[in-house]
Amino acid sequence: DGGITQSPKYLFRKEGQNVTLSCEQNLNHDAMYWYRQDPGQGLRLIYYSQIVNDFQKGDIAEGYSVSREKKESFPLTVTSAQKNPTAFYLCASSNTRPGEPSSTDTQYFGPGTRLTVL
Amino acid sequence: ILNVEQSPQSLHVQEGDSTNFTCSFPSSNFYALHWYRWETAKSPEALFVMTLNGDEKKKGRISATLNTKEGYSYLYIKGSQPEDSATYLCAFDGGTSYGKLTFGQGTILTVHP
């Protein structure tokens, strides 16, 4: 089955702890994205990666970090510097080729991780 | 930051009703408009990608129209069924090199049997 997996589904952490959310895809996509969802708001872009070993900040990158060591994997670390980490986090990948976007490129999403910081 | 608005925020209809909702987006730098359906406890699922002014797409009982000049898209559901209950998201693509999408806040549709 091709798709995107995120783990865990629910995550609880104490304030001040860093936590890493997993995202894996087997769609052979170059581009991957992390979004955050808060109640009443649209999905907001945290970080994106167009290719292995490259990633860029999105609109709300403060307090987050990522890595892209393998094409299939794009883990997100929520650091203690993130002021409001409790949220729902979605990972996505797309068939967008680096620097060659097409108007029909589509993003495919994982099932998400709900992070609660106590 | 781009402004993508969806209305209404939520909608309750009876089974068999037809319904529609709106996505408003910037009319400049338009590249594409995406619609997604997001059912509870599942991943958002792509419904349509629309690129041309006047585009109309259809998938079963769901259809969408696009007006890029005035910056809006309508999603229509004919004869709503309980399984249509979901959050419907639209996303604006302004043609960045990395495929950035700007999402609306979604319309939550509940279809009552």
Side-chain angles (χ1 to χ4, degrees):
Chain A
D1 258 332
I4 302 176
T5 55
Q6 290 185 243
S7 61
K9 194 170 180 180
Y10 298 97
L11 193 52
F12 296 88
R13 278 295 181 269
K14 289 184 180 177
E15 197 171 338
Q17 289 183 332
N18 291 357
V19 60
T20 297
L21 281 57
S22 164
C23 176
E24 304 277 330
Q25 55 102 355
N26 61 4
L27 300 169
N28 200 35
H29 286 166
D30 285 310
M32 296 188 75
Y33 311 82
W34 272 105
Y35 293 92
R36 169 183 172 135
Q37 192 207 25
D38 294 283
Q41 295 195 44
L43 302 180
R44 291 184 291 165
L45 183 65
I46 304 172
Y47 265 97
Y48 65 94
S49 169
Q50 292 184 271
I51 202 164
V52 174
N53 293 321
D54 178 73
F55 49 83
Q56 304 295 331
K57 293 180 180 180
D59 297 323
I60 54 165
E62 187 175 346
Y64 299 98
S65 65
V66 293
S67 62
R68 187 87 187 274
E69 296 175 5
K70 298 187 297 181
K71 190 174 188 177
E72 304 78 23
S73 179
F74 190 40
L76 174 75
T77 297
V78 185
T79 74
S80 56
Q82 169 47 235
K83 292 178 182 175
N84 295 298
T86 294
F88 189 75
Y89 292 87
L90 272 172
C91 177
S93 70
S94 88
N95 44 1
T96 300
R97 291 182 173 271
E100 298 177 25
S102 165
S103 59
T104 55
D105 288 342
T106 299
Q107 290 188 19
Y108 298 86
F109 286 86
T113 293
R114 184 165 298 282
L115 172 65
T116 302
V117 175
L118 306 170
Chain B
I1 293 183
L2 300 172
N3 199 28
V4 179
E5 296 284 339
Q6 290 187 247
S7 62
Q9 270 197 329
S10 64
L11 197 52
H12 290 256
V13 301
Q14 290 297 127
E15 184 175 352
D17 288 350
S18 293
T19 188
N20 66 86
F21 22 94
T22 307
C23 173
S24 301
F25 52 85
S27 54
S28 58
N29 298 321
F30 177 86
Y31 199 59
L33 194 282
H34 298 250
W35 281 101
Y36 286 86
R37 174 170 57 202
W38 191 2
E39 295 178 68
T40 303
K42 294 188 178 179
S43 308
E45 172 200 357
L47 283 174
F48 305 116
V49 180
M50 309 180 78
T51 58
L52 297 174
N53 185 43
D55 245 359
E56 185 166 338
K57 301 268 185 174
K58 191 173 180 182
K59 189 175 182 178
R61 294 177 291 97
I62 303 178
S63 60
T65 60
L66 180 69
N67 183 324
T68 60
K69 293 184 179 178
E70 295 182 40
Y72 64 84
S73 175
Y74 293 136
L75 190 80
Y76 300 92
I77 302 179
K78 187 177 176 183
S80 304
Q81 299 297 308
E83 57 265 31
D84 295 328
S85 297
T87 298
Y88 291 83
L89 302 174
C90 70
F92 172 80
D93 182 352
T96 63
S97 64
Y98 56 95
K100 176 178 179 173
L101 297 180
T102 302
F103 284 83
Q105 75 273 42
T107 292
I108 303 170
L109 174 66
T110 305
V111 182
H112 299 279

